[in-house]
């Protein structure tokens, strides 16, 4: 029974798919790392009193949220040539940039909404204690807002993880790309795609459980 299972098409595809899964996780992690930085700046920028700063970040958010990530990835990979920027972007780098820029626009709205949801009395309380505007944001507003960001940020992680599957069109050797390579070589389409889906679930389900526990712990 065990030997038959080990020799099945499902198990035999795992070593090959594992290579793609590592690339998927790497792109997701790096993309969200930079995307969170971009999103935090954009979210706070949209709350700025400066019309110029607010306008710049608003344009960025609306453009990215209004166009599909597939078009964004294709534009970065094929539209931005080496002659234009002096750098030849490979598929992996393009994938990270695409995920970062796309996730950043959505994280910006998460940050803006969370900060905006904090009662204005909290701002006034900080100022009455002698704190500067920046100190009030850092010590009073941001900790409360961050707790409210956790559920949507977790959801964005899952979305970005699944968005990496689109990057196979620019030959990023992610999980989906490796799955295509494997079933093209073995003609085991059903078995391979089942394992691809299961590997995605092996990441998303534990993440969802962790996030729910974290939400309960923080009483979000």
């Amino acid at each position: 029974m065990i030997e038959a299972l080990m020799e099945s098409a499902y198990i035999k595809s795992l070593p090959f798919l594992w290579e793609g899964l590592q690339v998927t996780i790497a792109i997701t992690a790096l993309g969200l790392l930079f995307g969170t930085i971009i999103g935090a700046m954009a979210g706070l920028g949209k709350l700025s009193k400066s019309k110029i700063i607010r306008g710049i970040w608003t344009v960025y958010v609306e453009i990215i949220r209004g166009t599909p990530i597939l078009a964004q990835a294709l534009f970065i990979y094929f539209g931005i040539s080496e002659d234009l920027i002096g750098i030849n972007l490979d598929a992996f780098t393009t994938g990270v940039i695409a995920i970062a820029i796309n996730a950043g626009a959505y994280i910006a709205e998460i940050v803006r909404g969370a900060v905006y949801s904090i009662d204005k009395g909290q701002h006034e309380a900080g100022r009455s204690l002698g704190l500067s505007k920046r100190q009030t944001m850092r010590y009073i507003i941001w900790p409360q807002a961050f707790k409210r960001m956790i559920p949507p940020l977790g959801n964005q992680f899952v979305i970005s993880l699944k968005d990496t599957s689109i990057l196979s069109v620019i030959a990023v050797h992610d999980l989906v790309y490796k799955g295509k390579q494997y079933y093209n070589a073995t003609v085991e389409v059903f078995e391979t795609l089942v394992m691809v889906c299961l590997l995605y679930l092996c990441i998303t389900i534990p993440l969802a459980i962790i996030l729910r526990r974290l939400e309960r712990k923080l009483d979000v």
Side-chain angles (χ1 to χ4, degrees), residues 157-188:
F157 181 94
V158 174
I159 291 172
S160 294
L161 175 69
K162 293 186 292 185
D163 280 346
T164 59
S165 62
I166 295 172
L167 302 176
S168 61
V169 300
I170 58 172
V172 172
H173 289 205
D174 70 321
L175 181 55
V176 171
Y177 186 87
K178 285 292 186 180
K180 289 180 180 178
Q181 282 189 320
Y182 189 81
Y183 70 61
N184 283 335
T186 62
V187 200
E188 295 167 344

PDB file of all heavy atoms in Angstrom, residues 157-188:
ATOM      1  N   PHE A 157      -2.144  38.852   2.196  1.00  0.00           N
ATOM      2  CA  PHE A 157      -1.069  37.875   2.030  1.00  0.00           C
ATOM      3  C   PHE A 157      -1.558  36.700   1.197  1.00  0.00           C
ATOM      4  O   PHE A 157      -0.868  36.248   0.276  1.00  0.00           O
ATOM      5  CB  PHE A 157      -0.583  37.378   3.397  1.00  0.00           C
ATOM      6  CG  PHE A 157       0.538  36.376   3.303  1.00  0.00           C
ATOM      7  CD1 PHE A 157       1.855  36.785   3.372  1.00  0.00           C
ATOM      8  CD2 PHE A 157       0.281  35.018   3.144  1.00  0.00           C
ATOM      9  CE1 PHE A 157       2.904  35.861   3.280  1.00  0.00           C
ATOM     10  CE2 PHE A 157       1.304  34.093   3.057  1.00  0.00           C
ATOM     11  CZ  PHE A 157       2.619  34.522   3.122  1.00  0.00           C
ATOM     12  N   VAL A 158      -2.740  36.210   1.509  1.00  0.00           N
ATOM     13  CA  VAL A 158      -3.314  35.085   0.763  1.00  0.00           C
ATOM     14  C   VAL A 158      -3.556  35.475  -0.691  1.00  0.00           C
ATOM     15  O   VAL A 158      -3.259  34.706  -1.615  1.00  0.00           O
ATOM     16  CB  VAL A 158      -4.618  34.602   1.421  1.00  0.00           C
ATOM     17  CG1 VAL A 158      -5.289  33.531   0.568  1.00  0.00           C
ATOM     18  CG2 VAL A 158      -4.347  34.067   2.827  1.00  0.00           C
ATOM     19  N   ILE A 159      -4.090  36.673  -0.896  1.00  0.00           N
ATOM     20  CA  ILE A 159      -4.366  37.136  -2.256  1.00  0.00           C
ATOM     21  C   ILE A 159      -3.066  37.238  -3.063  1.00  0.00           C
ATOM     22  O   ILE A 159      -2.998  36.801  -4.216  1.00  0.00           O
ATOM     23  CB  ILE A 159      -5.084  38.500  -2.226  1.00  0.00           C
ATOM     24  CG1 ILE A 159      -6.497  38.342  -1.670  1.00  0.00           C
ATOM     25  CG2 ILE A 159      -5.132  39.118  -3.631  1.00  0.00           C
ATOM     26  CD1 ILE A 159      -7.208  39.651  -1.421  1.00  0.00           C
ATOM     27  N   SER A 160      -2.036  37.818  -2.455  1.00  0.00           N
ATOM     28  CA  SER A 160      -0.754  37.978  -3.155  1.00  0.00           C
ATOM     29  C   SER A 160      -0.111  36.632  -3.445  1.00  0.00           C
ATOM     30  O   SER A 160       0.509  36.449  -4.499  1.00  0.00           O
ATOM     31  CB  SER A 160       0.196  38.849  -2.319  1.00  0.00           C
ATOM     32  OG  SER A 160      -0.292  40.170  -2.209  1.00  0.00           O
ATOM     33  N   LEU A 161      -0.257  35.699  -2.524  1.00  0.00           N
ATOM     34  CA  LEU A 161       0.271  34.356  -2.741  1.00  0.00           C
ATOM     35  C   LEU A 161      -0.371  33.728  -3.978  1.00  0.00           C
ATOM     36  O   LEU A 161       0.304  33.158  -4.843  1.00  0.00           O
ATOM     37  CB  LEU A 161       0.010  33.477  -1.515  1.00  0.00           C
ATOM     38  CG  LEU A 161       0.396  31.995  -1.647  1.00  0.00           C
ATOM     39  CD1 LEU A 161       1.905  31.846  -1.710  1.00  0.00           C
ATOM     40  CD2 LEU A 161      -0.175  31.195  -0.492  1.00  0.00           C
ATOM     41  N   LYS A 162      -1.686  33.860  -4.087  1.00  0.00           N
ATOM     42  CA  LYS A 162      -2.387  33.293  -5.233  1.00  0.00           C
ATOM     43  C   LYS A 162      -2.109  34.084  -6.514  1.00  0.00           C
ATOM     44  O   LYS A 162      -2.106  33.521  -7.607  1.00  0.00           O
ATOM     45  CB  LYS A 162      -3.892  33.243  -4.950  1.00  0.00           C
ATOM     46  CG  LYS A 162      -4.262  32.254  -3.838  1.00  0.00           C
ATOM     47  CD  LYS A 162      -5.753  32.124  -3.673  1.00  0.00           C
ATOM     48  CE  LYS A 162      -6.385  33.382  -3.134  1.00  0.00           C
ATOM     49  NZ  LYS A 162      -7.839  33.209  -2.865  1.00  0.00           N
ATOM     50  N   ASP A 163      -1.849  35.388  -6.369  1.00  0.00           N
ATOM     51  CA  ASP A 163      -1.544  36.213  -7.538  1.00  0.00           C
ATOM     52  C   ASP A 163      -0.237  35.801  -8.217  1.00  0.00           C
ATOM     53  O   ASP A 163      -0.052  36.062  -9.409  1.00  0.00           O
ATOM     54  CB  ASP A 163      -1.459  37.692  -7.148  1.00  0.00           C
ATOM     55  CG  ASP A 163      -2.829  38.335  -7.010  1.00  0.00           C
ATOM     56  OD1 ASP A 163      -3.821  37.724  -7.462  1.00  0.00           O
ATOM     57  OD2 ASP A 163      -2.910  39.444  -6.450  1.00  0.00           O
ATOM     58  N   THR A 164       0.658  35.160  -7.465  1.00  0.00           N
ATOM     59  CA  THR A 164       1.927  34.737  -8.073  1.00  0.00           C
ATOM     60  C   THR A 164       1.704  33.724  -9.191  1.00  0.00           C
ATOM     61  O   THR A 164       2.553  33.588 -10.075  1.00  0.00           O
ATOM     62  CB  THR A 164       2.861  34.110  -7.023  1.00  0.00           C
ATOM     63  OG1 THR A 164       2.227  32.972  -6.414  1.00  0.00           O
ATOM     64  CG2 THR A 164       3.236  35.111  -5.938  1.00  0.00           C
ATOM     65  N   SER A 165       0.575  33.027  -9.163  1.00  0.00           N
ATOM     66  CA  SER A 165       0.295  32.041 -10.215  1.00  0.00           C
ATOM     67  C   SER A 165       0.203  32.697 -11.588  1.00  0.00           C
ATOM     68  O   SER A 165       0.476  32.066 -12.614  1.00  0.00           O
ATOM     69  CB  SER A 165      -1.002  31.291  -9.906  1.00  0.00           C
ATOM     70  OG  SER A 165      -2.111  32.182  -9.886  1.00  0.00           O
ATOM     71  N   ILE A 166      -0.181  33.967 -11.603  1.00  0.00           N
ATOM     72  CA  ILE A 166      -0.297  34.701 -12.872  1.00  0.00           C
ATOM     73  C   ILE A 166       1.078  34.923 -13.492  1.00  0.00           C
ATOM     74  O   ILE A 166       1.213  35.035 -14.708  1.00  0.00           O
ATOM     75  CB  ILE A 166      -1.005  36.051 -12.626  1.00  0.00           C
ATOM     76  CG1 ILE A 166      -2.451  35.802 -12.167  1.00  0.00           C
ATOM     77  CG2 ILE A 166      -0.972  36.935 -13.871  1.00  0.00           C
ATOM     78  CD1 ILE A 166      -3.173  37.055 -11.721  1.00  0.00           C
ATOM     79  N   LEU A 167       2.107  34.967 -12.652  1.00  0.00           N
ATOM     80  CA  LEU A 167       3.451  35.290 -13.121  1.00  0.00           C
ATOM     81  C   LEU A 167       4.062  34.201 -13.996  1.00  0.00           C
ATOM     82  O   LEU A 167       5.116  34.416 -14.597  1.00  0.00           O
ATOM     83  CB  LEU A 167       4.364  35.566 -11.923  1.00  0.00           C
ATOM     84  CG  LEU A 167       3.909  36.705 -10.996  1.00  0.00           C
ATOM     85  CD1 LEU A 167       4.832  36.806  -9.796  1.00  0.00           C
ATOM     86  CD2 LEU A 167       3.863  38.031 -11.745  1.00  0.00           C
ATOM     87  N   SER A 168       3.408  33.059 -14.075  1.00  0.00           N
ATOM     88  CA  SER A 168       3.922  31.995 -14.938  1.00  0.00           C
ATOM     89  C   SER A 168       3.920  32.427 -16.402  1.00  0.00           C
ATOM     90  O   SER A 168       4.660  31.876 -17.221  1.00  0.00           O
ATOM     91  CB  SER A 168       3.097  30.713 -14.769  1.00  0.00           C
ATOM     92  OG  SER A 168       1.740  30.929 -15.127  1.00  0.00           O
ATOM     93  N   VAL A 169       3.110  33.426 -16.746  1.00  0.00           N
ATOM     94  CA  VAL A 169       3.044  33.894 -18.136  1.00  0.00           C
ATOM     95  C   VAL A 169       4.330  34.603 -18.559  1.00  0.00           C
ATOM     96  O   VAL A 169       4.594  34.751 -19.754  1.00  0.00           O
ATOM     97  CB  VAL A 169       1.838  34.827 -18.377  1.00  0.00           C
ATOM     98  CG1 VAL A 169       0.541  34.120 -18.082  1.00  0.00           C
ATOM     99  CG2 VAL A 169       1.951  36.105 -17.554  1.00  0.00           C
ATOM    100  N   ILE A 170       5.118  35.075 -17.584  1.00  0.00           N
ATOM    101  CA  ILE A 170       6.407  35.688 -17.922  1.00  0.00           C
ATOM    102  C   ILE A 170       7.557  34.746 -17.538  1.00  0.00           C
ATOM    103  O   ILE A 170       8.682  35.178 -17.324  1.00  0.00           O
ATOM    104  CB  ILE A 170       6.581  37.065 -17.242  1.00  0.00           C
ATOM    105  CG1 ILE A 170       6.458  36.956 -15.713  1.00  0.00           C
ATOM    106  CG2 ILE A 170       5.582  38.070 -17.794  1.00  0.00           C
ATOM    107  CD1 ILE A 170       6.816  38.240 -14.981  1.00  0.00           C
ATOM    108  N   ALA A 171       7.231  33.468 -17.448  1.00  0.00           N
ATOM    109  CA  ALA A 171       8.217  32.407 -17.211  1.00  0.00           C
ATOM    110  C   ALA A 171       8.870  32.463 -15.835  1.00  0.00           C
ATOM    111  O   ALA A 171      10.018  32.037 -15.675  1.00  0.00           O
ATOM    112  CB  ALA A 171       9.294  32.436 -18.300  1.00  0.00           C
ATOM    113  N   VAL A 172       8.146  32.972 -14.844  1.00  0.00           N
ATOM    114  CA  VAL A 172       8.605  32.825 -13.466  1.00  0.00           C
ATOM    115  C   VAL A 172       8.411  31.366 -13.084  1.00  0.00           C
ATOM    116  O   VAL A 172       7.327  30.813 -13.253  1.00  0.00           O
ATOM    117  CB  VAL A 172       7.798  33.732 -12.509  1.00  0.00           C
ATOM    118  CG1 VAL A 172       8.164  33.419 -11.056  1.00  0.00           C
ATOM    119  CG2 VAL A 172       8.061  35.191 -12.814  1.00  0.00           C
ATOM    120  N   HIS A 173       9.450  30.720 -12.576  1.00  0.00           N
ATOM    121  CA  HIS A 173       9.380  29.288 -12.287  1.00  0.00           C
ATOM    122  C   HIS A 173       8.693  29.024 -10.945  1.00  0.00           C
ATOM    123  O   HIS A 173       9.265  28.399 -10.040  1.00  0.00           O
ATOM    124  CB  HIS A 173      10.792  28.687 -12.297  1.00  0.00           C
ATOM    125  CG  HIS A 173      11.384  28.614 -13.672  1.00  0.00           C
ATOM    126  ND1 HIS A 173      12.359  27.713 -14.031  1.00  0.00           N
ATOM    127  CD2 HIS A 173      11.121  29.325 -14.802  1.00  0.00           C
ATOM    128  CE1 HIS A 173      12.685  27.874 -15.307  1.00  0.00           C
ATOM    129  NE2 HIS A 173      11.939  28.858 -15.792  1.00  0.00           N
ATOM    130  N   ASP A 174       7.471  29.506 -10.855  1.00  0.00           N
ATOM    131  CA  ASP A 174       6.708  29.328  -9.627  1.00  0.00           C
ATOM    132  C   ASP A 174       6.016  27.971  -9.627  1.00  0.00           C
ATOM    133  O   ASP A 174       6.273  27.126 -10.488  1.00  0.00           O
ATOM    134  CB  ASP A 174       5.684  30.458  -9.476  1.00  0.00           C
ATOM    135  CG  ASP A 174       4.562  30.340 -10.498  1.00  0.00           C
ATOM    136  OD1 ASP A 174       4.850  29.980 -11.655  1.00  0.00           O
ATOM    137  OD2 ASP A 174       3.396  30.601 -10.140  1.00  0.00           O
ATOM    138  N   LEU A 175       5.122  27.772  -8.677  1.00  0.00           N
ATOM    139  CA  LEU A 175       4.457  26.485  -8.526  1.00  0.00           C
ATOM    140  C   LEU A 175       3.625  26.117  -9.758  1.00  0.00           C
ATOM    141  O   LEU A 175       3.680  24.975 -10.239  1.00  0.00           O
ATOM    142  CB  LEU A 175       3.570  26.517  -7.276  1.00  0.00           C
ATOM    143  CG  LEU A 175       2.788  25.257  -6.922  1.00  0.00           C
ATOM    144  CD1 LEU A 175       3.715  24.053  -6.809  1.00  0.00           C
ATOM    145  CD2 LEU A 175       2.024  25.466  -5.609  1.00  0.00           C
ATOM    146  N   VAL A 176       2.885  27.070 -10.285  1.00  0.00           N
ATOM    147  CA  VAL A 176       2.048  26.799 -11.462  1.00  0.00           C
ATOM    148  C   VAL A 176       2.912  26.499 -12.686  1.00  0.00           C
ATOM    149  O   VAL A 176       2.619  25.578 -13.461  1.00  0.00           O
ATOM    150  CB  VAL A 176       1.110  27.986 -11.742  1.00  0.00           C
ATOM    151  CG1 VAL A 176       0.397  27.810 -13.083  1.00  0.00           C
ATOM    152  CG2 VAL A 176       0.074  28.130 -10.631  1.00  0.00           C
ATOM    153  N   TYR A 177       3.974  27.263 -12.862  1.00  0.00           N
ATOM    154  CA  TYR A 177       4.863  27.057 -14.014  1.00  0.00           C
ATOM    155  C   TYR A 177       5.497  25.664 -13.963  1.00  0.00           C
ATOM    156  O   TYR A 177       5.563  24.956 -14.981  1.00  0.00           O
ATOM    157  CB  TYR A 177       5.955  28.125 -14.021  1.00  0.00           C
ATOM    158  CG  TYR A 177       6.847  28.096 -15.234  1.00  0.00           C
ATOM    159  CD1 TYR A 177       6.503  28.796 -16.396  1.00  0.00           C
ATOM    160  CD2 TYR A 177       8.048  27.383 -15.238  1.00  0.00           C
ATOM    161  CE1 TYR A 177       7.322  28.782 -17.514  1.00  0.00           C
ATOM    162  CE2 TYR A 177       8.861  27.355 -16.350  1.00  0.00           C
ATOM    163  CZ  TYR A 177       8.501  28.062 -17.483  1.00  0.00           C
ATOM    164  OH  TYR A 177       9.313  28.041 -18.600  1.00  0.00           O
ATOM    165  N   LYS A 178       5.958  25.277 -12.777  1.00  0.00           N
ATOM    166  CA  LYS A 178       6.554  23.950 -12.616  1.00  0.00           C
ATOM    167  C   LYS A 178       5.515  22.858 -12.849  1.00  0.00           C
ATOM    168  O   LYS A 178       5.823  21.798 -13.396  1.00  0.00           O
ATOM    169  CB  LYS A 178       7.167  23.811 -11.221  1.00  0.00           C
ATOM    170  CG  LYS A 178       8.481  24.546 -11.041  1.00  0.00           C
ATOM    171  CD  LYS A 178       9.570  23.906 -11.870  1.00  0.00           C
ATOM    172  CE  LYS A 178      10.928  24.522 -11.607  1.00  0.00           C
ATOM    173  NZ  LYS A 178      11.993  23.891 -12.414  1.00  0.00           N
ATOM    174  N   GLY A 179       4.272  23.123 -12.419  1.00  0.00           N
ATOM    175  CA  GLY A 179       3.210  22.163 -12.658  1.00  0.00           C
ATOM    176  C   GLY A 179       2.965  21.965 -14.147  1.00  0.00           C
ATOM    177  O   GLY A 179       2.808  20.828 -14.618  1.00  0.00           O
ATOM    178  N   LYS A 180       2.957  23.053 -14.893  1.00  0.00           N
ATOM    179  CA  LYS A 180       2.778  22.962 -16.352  1.00  0.00           C
ATOM    180  C   LYS A 180       3.913  22.162 -16.989  1.00  0.00           C
ATOM    181  O   LYS A 180       3.686  21.318 -17.865  1.00  0.00           O
ATOM    182  CB  LYS A 180       2.726  24.365 -16.962  1.00  0.00           C
ATOM    183  CG  LYS A 180       1.464  25.137 -16.653  1.00  0.00           C
ATOM    184  CD  LYS A 180       1.524  26.518 -17.303  1.00  0.00           C
ATOM    185  CE  LYS A 180       0.283  27.325 -17.021  1.00  0.00           C
ATOM    186  NZ  LYS A 180       0.358  28.694 -17.607  1.00  0.00           N
ATOM    187  N   GLN A 181       5.135  22.453 -16.553  1.00  0.00           N
ATOM    188  CA  GLN A 181       6.284  21.724 -17.098  1.00  0.00           C
ATOM    189  C   GLN A 181       6.171  20.233 -16.831  1.00  0.00           C
ATOM    190  O   GLN A 181       6.451  19.411 -17.705  1.00  0.00           O
ATOM    191  CB  GLN A 181       7.585  22.258 -16.479  1.00  0.00           C
ATOM    192  CG  GLN A 181       8.082  23.566 -17.051  1.00  0.00           C
ATOM    193  CD  GLN A 181       9.467  23.909 -16.555  1.00  0.00           C
ATOM    194  OE1 GLN A 181       9.792  23.701 -15.388  1.00  0.00           O
ATOM    195  NE2 GLN A 181      10.304  24.431 -17.430  1.00  0.00           N
ATOM    196  N   TYR A 182       5.730  19.904 -15.625  1.00  0.00           N
ATOM    197  CA  TYR A 182       5.672  18.495 -15.233  1.00  0.00           C
ATOM    198  C   TYR A 182       4.600  17.748 -16.019  1.00  0.00           C
ATOM    199  O   TYR A 182       4.850  16.675 -16.561  1.00  0.00           O
ATOM    200  CB  TYR A 182       5.407  18.366 -13.735  1.00  0.00           C
ATOM    201  CG  TYR A 182       5.540  16.944 -13.236  1.00  0.00           C
ATOM    202  CD1 TYR A 182       6.785  16.407 -12.955  1.00  0.00           C
ATOM    203  CD2 TYR A 182       4.415  16.138 -13.063  1.00  0.00           C
ATOM    204  CE1 TYR A 182       6.920  15.099 -12.516  1.00  0.00           C
ATOM    205  CE2 TYR A 182       4.537  14.830 -12.633  1.00  0.00           C
ATOM    206  CZ  TYR A 182       5.792  14.316 -12.354  1.00  0.00           C
ATOM    207  OH  TYR A 182       5.919  13.008 -11.930  1.00  0.00           O
ATOM    208  N   TYR A 183       3.392  18.320 -16.098  1.00  0.00           N
ATOM    209  CA  TYR A 183       2.349  17.562 -16.801  1.00  0.00           C
ATOM    210  C   TYR A 183       2.527  17.588 -18.317  1.00  0.00           C
ATOM    211  O   TYR A 183       2.008  16.728 -19.018  1.00  0.00           O
ATOM    212  CB  TYR A 183       0.940  17.976 -16.370  1.00  0.00           C
ATOM    213  CG  TYR A 183       0.423  19.331 -16.767  1.00  0.00           C
ATOM    214  CD1 TYR A 183       0.270  19.705 -18.102  1.00  0.00           C
ATOM    215  CD2 TYR A 183       0.010  20.238 -15.777  1.00  0.00           C
ATOM    216  CE1 TYR A 183      -0.250  20.944 -18.455  1.00  0.00           C
ATOM    217  CE2 TYR A 183      -0.522  21.470 -16.127  1.00  0.00           C
ATOM    218  CZ  TYR A 183      -0.642  21.815 -17.467  1.00  0.00           C
ATOM    219  OH  TYR A 183      -1.171  23.040 -17.819  1.00  0.00           O
ATOM    220  N   ASN A 184       3.267  18.552 -18.844  1.00  0.00           N
ATOM    221  CA  ASN A 184       3.591  18.525 -20.272  1.00  0.00           C
ATOM    222  C   ASN A 184       4.559  17.390 -20.602  1.00  0.00           C
ATOM    223  O   ASN A 184       4.525  16.814 -21.692  1.00  0.00           O
ATOM    224  CB  ASN A 184       4.201  19.853 -20.718  1.00  0.00           C
ATOM    225  CG  ASN A 184       3.157  20.947 -20.881  1.00  0.00           C
ATOM    226  OD1 ASN A 184       1.992  20.669 -21.121  1.00  0.00           O
ATOM    227  ND2 ASN A 184       3.579  22.190 -20.745  1.00  0.00           N
ATOM    228  N   ALA A 185       5.421  17.082 -19.606  1.00  0.00           N
ATOM    229  CA  ALA A 185       6.407  16.021 -19.807  1.00  0.00           C
ATOM    230  C   ALA A 185       5.838  14.635 -19.517  1.00  0.00           C
ATOM    231  O   ALA A 185       6.225  13.648 -20.147  1.00  0.00           O
ATOM    232  CB  ALA A 185       7.637  16.268 -18.927  1.00  0.00           C
ATOM    233  N   THR A 186       4.880  14.570 -18.560  1.00  0.00           N
ATOM    234  CA  THR A 186       4.379  13.260 -18.124  1.00  0.00           C
ATOM    235  C   THR A 186       2.952  12.971 -18.594  1.00  0.00           C
ATOM    236  O   THR A 186       2.495  11.829 -18.480  1.00  0.00           O
ATOM    237  CB  THR A 186       4.399  13.178 -16.588  1.00  0.00           C
ATOM    238  OG1 THR A 186       3.524  14.185 -16.051  1.00  0.00           O
ATOM    239  CG2 THR A 186       5.809  13.387 -16.055  1.00  0.00           C
ATOM    240  N   VAL A 187       2.244  13.975 -19.067  1.00  0.00           N
ATOM    241  CA  VAL A 187       0.842  13.887 -19.472  1.00  0.00           C
ATOM    242  C   VAL A 187      -0.057  13.508 -18.283  1.00  0.00           C
ATOM    243  O   VAL A 187      -1.156  12.988 -18.470  1.00  0.00           O
ATOM    244  CB  VAL A 187       0.651  12.874 -20.627  1.00  0.00           C
ATOM    245  CG1 VAL A 187      -0.665  13.158 -21.348  1.00  0.00           C
ATOM    246  CG2 VAL A 187       1.790  12.940 -21.622  1.00  0.00           C
ATOM    247  N   GLU A 188       0.416  13.744 -17.072  1.00  0.00           N
ATOM    248  CA  GLU A 188      -0.382  13.470 -15.871  1.00  0.00           C
ATOM    249  C   GLU A 188      -0.985  14.792 -15.387  1.00  0.00           C
ATOM    250  O   GLU A 188      -0.611  15.340 -14.347  1.00  0.00           O
ATOM    251  CB  GLU A 188       0.502  12.835 -14.799  1.00  0.00           C
ATOM    252  CG  GLU A 188       1.027  11.456 -15.223  1.00  0.00           C
ATOM    253  CD  GLU A 188       2.151  10.949 -14.316  1.00  0.00           C
ATOM    254  OE1 GLU A 188       2.725  11.779 -13.574  1.00  0.00           O
ATOM    255  OE2 GLU A 188       2.444   9.754 -14.371  1.00  0.00           O
TER     256      GLU A 188
END
